[in-house]
Amino acid sequence: MFAEPDVEREDRPDGSVVFRSRAPLGPYPRSVAAMLRDWAEADPAHPLVAERAGDGWATLTYGEVRDRADALGQALLDRGLGPHRPLMILSGNSVAHFVLTLGALTAGVPVAPISVAYSLLSTDHARIRDIASLLRPGLVFAEAGGPFAAALAAVEGPGVVLAYDVDAVPGAESLDDLLATAPGPELAAAYAATGPGTLAKVLFTSGSTGSPKGVLNTHRMLCSNQQAIRQAWPFLAGERPVLVDWLPWSHTFGGNHNVDLVLRNGGTLYLDDGKPAPQLFGRSLENLRSVPPTLYFNVPAGYAQLVPVLERDPEFARVFFSRLRLLFNAAAALPAALRSRLEAAAAAAGADVPLTGSWGATETAPAVTSAHFPFTDARCIGVPLPGLAVKLAPVGEAHEIRVRGDAVTPGYLHRPDLTEAAFDDEGFYRTGDAAVPASGDPNTGLLFGGRIAEDFKLDTGTFVRVGALRTALLSAVPLLSDVVLAGENRQYIGALAWLNQAEARLAGPLDEADGCLVHAELAGQVAKLLAAMNSVAGSAGRVERLVVLAEPPDLDAGEITDKGYLNQRRVLARRAALVERLYADEPDVAVIVAG
């Protein structure tokens, strides 16, 4: 099922270590559009993409998607779009979004899918305006006019195309009108001119800075990355995957890794209109019951919602695991306790399904490493994929992961200053993440160490690795969905946390006290679990106090990035008063003290 790791290690005099796969990267398609056209030629009737329609699914085949993509590609060219006039997409995953993206890529038009949160959750749409100013789009698409009217108004100048509710935005065109376009020689010429070096996407990421920056994604990046994944997972060459996936296409995990994996391997993508949030996860469960996937991709927050259901609903677990080949986790380390429960749920359903993971970035298309071998440490991110070199470079007390190869971005849109700063003198992309070798054997992979900028020291000089401790805390206290750690220049570590509704089964209502949730049973359980964790940890791994926050992370305030990750330092700065409560001489009623 998986390729055997075969990695070489080079130790350098400056303390850096370089890892490379000995397997050469094989040939790959020249563009994402070529993946679609190759499969449409080979098997036009095979289903490619489906979305919910009533109690069933509305499906388009490879041939139907190619025909729609050709019509839309010509329509975009007719409206003056091209390599320097990209398509901006404000709405989330949908069949319309999918075919419009492939139409743009067929015509050599870059696509910029924008986080839906910037349109629907933001109150000032400042980031939408900033992105549009940098991107300079030739056209903007949204699924429906009404919900996106305010965001569309923030993007001044370009034309607007809507799939529904066209009358809500004056001057907007209907997607159906674009689909009626007959493809001509202009499209054929534009497709022929598209190659590995052509810009395919601009993905906007704010990282820890809060300022959107446009990451250039070329066809070389996307296609080489899929070839590398296929070499690590050779079973894909003979098994066309079926995905039921919610991960947003504004993020490289969902939009590049998963969508392109389906296109590269002739698979089928079912659009999951749920997500791992208490009010929406039931929809995901309905979709997974309807179409059991062969590959399942999620993030730790998603697995935290899924595992309790698998444990209490054996029939759902049987359906879910019925044809599953692998489980895949990315975005952050999966807490060890959650991993163990997931493996136990699979075994109880009679399934032997490997749990694997990967590491990468928006700037790397995204996969750099893959854990395509058995491992037990939850921090394991695997070994470098073919065609990529990984350097662990000393930075302070950590070793930064740096990457070079075909899947690495050429830089940032209209920001030569950011591009220059992003690479070292050997051309390795500086990721800002830390890792260490799992052992002296390079084939055992790397262990993720978190974001270097998030780490801090206590006033004793003890160095706290935030990424590793965060994962350990969420594993030890599954009642929590996420945490931010405090303690820089303090005597001990404290935490701001959010409740995991899927795990919390408490008697009586939760009270609120100055922004924190208060509940005696919750406090007792958390205090006991913290004490158990602390009893086997050193000072760098002990969390002495914790508050459970009532207010979710705020997008407009920069507390979460476009990818949905917590911005550790922004949360601590914005909620400084709550941090002070953690360190008060006499803790108030909302502060949970480790038992």
Side-chain angles (χ1 to χ4, degrees):
M1 182 173 179
F2 297 134
E4 288 289 332
D6 185 12
V7 177
E8 62 182 19
R9 170 176 175 156
E10 175 192 353
D11 290 87
R12 295 180 168 182
D14 64 357
S16 63
V17 187
V18 178
F19 298 89
R20 302 180 187 85
S21 172
R22 291 190 177 93
L25 182 65
Y28 48 84
R30 64 185 181 89
S31 72
V32 174
M35 296 179 189
L36 166 66
R37 299 178 83 83
D38 288 346
W39 281 108
E41 182 68 25
D43 191 0
H46 192 81
L48 168 52
V49 64
E51 64 186 351
R52 274 295 195 177
D55 294 333
W57 296 87
T59 304
L60 292 179
T61 67
Y62 275 83
E64 289 169 335
V65 171
R66 177 199 56 202
D67 292 344
R68 284 165 171 74
D70 285 355
L72 292 170
Q74 182 65 55
L76 295 178
L77 293 175
D78 291 346
R79 285 154 181 79
L81 275 72
H84 303 294
R85 296 194 72 217
L87 171 67
M88 185 178 186
I89 298 181
L90 299 186
S91 51
N93 305 5
S94 70
V95 166
H97 182 153
F98 185 81
V99 296
L100 188 55
T101 295
L102 286 168
L105 298 182
T106 301
V109 175
V111 182
I114 310 302
S115 173
V116 177
Y118 292 171
S119 294
L120 300 186
L121 300 184
S122 175
T123 56
D124 60 12
H125 297 103
R127 289 193 178 185
I128 288 287
R129 282 192 292 273
D130 290 345
I131 289 171
S133 176
L134 186 66
L135 184 65
R136 305 166 197 166
L139 197 67
V140 183
F141 170 77
E143 193 77 13
F148 289 89
L152 288 165
V155 184
E156 299 177 1
V160 173
V161 171
L162 301 168
Y164 309 105
D165 196 18
V166 178
D167 293 340
V169 178
E173 293 187 89
S174 167
L175 183 65
D176 287 340
D177 291 339
L178 274 66
L179 282 166
T181 307
E186 300 88 354
L187 178 71
Y191 173 70
T194 301
T198 303
L199 181 62
K201 291 183 179 181
V202 181
L203 295 182
F204 283 87
T205 174
S206 55
S208 59
T209 66
S211 301
K213 53 187 178 182
V215 182
L216 304 177
N217 280 226
T218 65
H219 287 279
R220 175 181 291 109
M221 292 170 61
L222 305 180
C223 296
S224 69
N225 207 230
Q226 289 303 319
Q227 175 60 28
I229 293 169
R230 198 184 229 212
Q231 289 180 225
W233 299 352
F235 73 94
L236 288 172
E239 299 181 21
R240 298 169 74 161
V242 176
L243 273 62
V244 180
D245 196 47
W246 67 271
L247 288 156
W249 295 344
S250 56
H251 178 211
T252 187
F253 185 7
N256 288 346
H257 188 285
N258 293 357
V259 169
D260 292 349
L261 185 142
V262 169
L263 289 168
R264 177 69 176 95
N265 298 288
T268 306
L269 175 62
Y270 289 84
L271 306 185
D272 177 8
D273 54 352
K275 65 183 301 185
Q279 68 274 24
L280 295 173
F281 194 61
R283 185 61 169 176
S284 289
L285 297 178
E286 292 177 17
N287 294 332
L288 291 168
R289 283 190 181 97
S290 173
V291 182
T294 65
L295 310 177
Y296 187 68
F297 299 90
N298 218 322
V299 296
Y303 284 113
Q305 295 284 328
L306 178 65
V307 166
V309 179
L310 293 171
E311 292 173 334
R312 65 175 180 258
D313 189 342
E315 178 56 25
F316 171 75
R318 185 192 65 76
V319 172
F320 176 74
F321 288 113
S322 61
R323 58 176 180 172
L324 200 62
R325 293 286 274 145
L326 64 82
L327 292 155
F328 182 99
N329 174 73
L334 191 66
L338 194 59
R339 172 188 168 94
S340 296
R341 292 169 63 191
L342 188 57
E343 291 172 338
D352 181 14
V353 181
L355 174 60
T356 187
S358 181
W359 174 89
T362 307
E363 289 85 350
T364 60
V368 173
T369 64
S370 175
H372 52 96
F373 51 86
F375 64 95
T376 56
D377 193 317
R379 297 171 297 164
C380 183
I381 56 175
V383 296
L385 287 164
L388 293 165
V390 172
K391 177 166 67 173
L392 299 186
V395 176
E397 299 187 44
H399 279 76
E400 182 186 26
I401 310 172
R402 299 182 181 179
V403 190
R404 188 172 65 187
D406 282 7
V408 177
T409 182
Y412 298 97
L413 181 69
H414 305 316
R415 291 298 304 270
D417 56 327
L418 293 178
T419 300
E420 182 178 4
F423 296 89
D424 67 15
D425 56 4
E426 290 187 287
F428 281 85
Y429 167 65
R430 307 172 188 263
T431 68
D433 286 349
V436 296
S439 73
D441 178 1
N443 291 319
T444 59
L446 304 175
L447 303 181
F448 184 64
R451 295 290 296 172
I452 292 173
E454 293 179 348
D455 295 341
F456 59 83
K457 286 184 179 180
L458 299 173
D459 65 3
T460 59
T462 300
F463 193 71
V464 178
R465 298 206 179 275
V466 168
L469 180 54
R470 172 190 170 277
T471 302
L473 177 56
L474 292 175
S475 182
V477 190
L479 290 166
L480 306 178
S481 64
D482 215 335
V483 294
V484 165
L485 298 172
E488 187 166 13
N489 298 320
R490 307 271 193 172
Q491 291 182 334
Y492 55 84
I493 302 167
L496 308 180
W498 286 269
L499 188 63
N500 183 349
Q501 298 287 351
E503 297 283 4
R505 300 187 178 280
L506 306 170
L510 290 160
D511 295 323
E512 185 175 335
D514 298 323
C516 298
L517 297 178
V518 179
H519 189 285
E521 183 184 357
L522 173 65
Q525 291 182 32
V526 171
K528 182 177 180 180
L529 292 169
L530 283 178
M533 182 184 81
N534 291 347
S535 68
V536 295
S539 58
R542 296 172 56 89
V543 177
E544 302 293 349
R545 295 183 180 182
L546 181 148
V547 293
V548 180
L549 305 184
E551 177 195 348
D554 190 298
L555 176 77
D556 285 336
E559 291 188 326
I560 53 176
T561 72
D562 54 294
K563 303 170 192 172
Y565 304 158
L566 281 174
N567 184 333
Q568 167 101 1
R569 293 196 175 275
R570 191 63 59 87
V571 172
L572 292 174
R574 183 169 179 266
R575 305 182 191 236
L578 291 172
V579 174
E580 292 304 319
R581 290 167 67 180
L582 288 172
Y583 295 95
D585 291 338
E586 293 294 329
D588 62 49
V589 66
V591 178
I592 300 171
V593 180

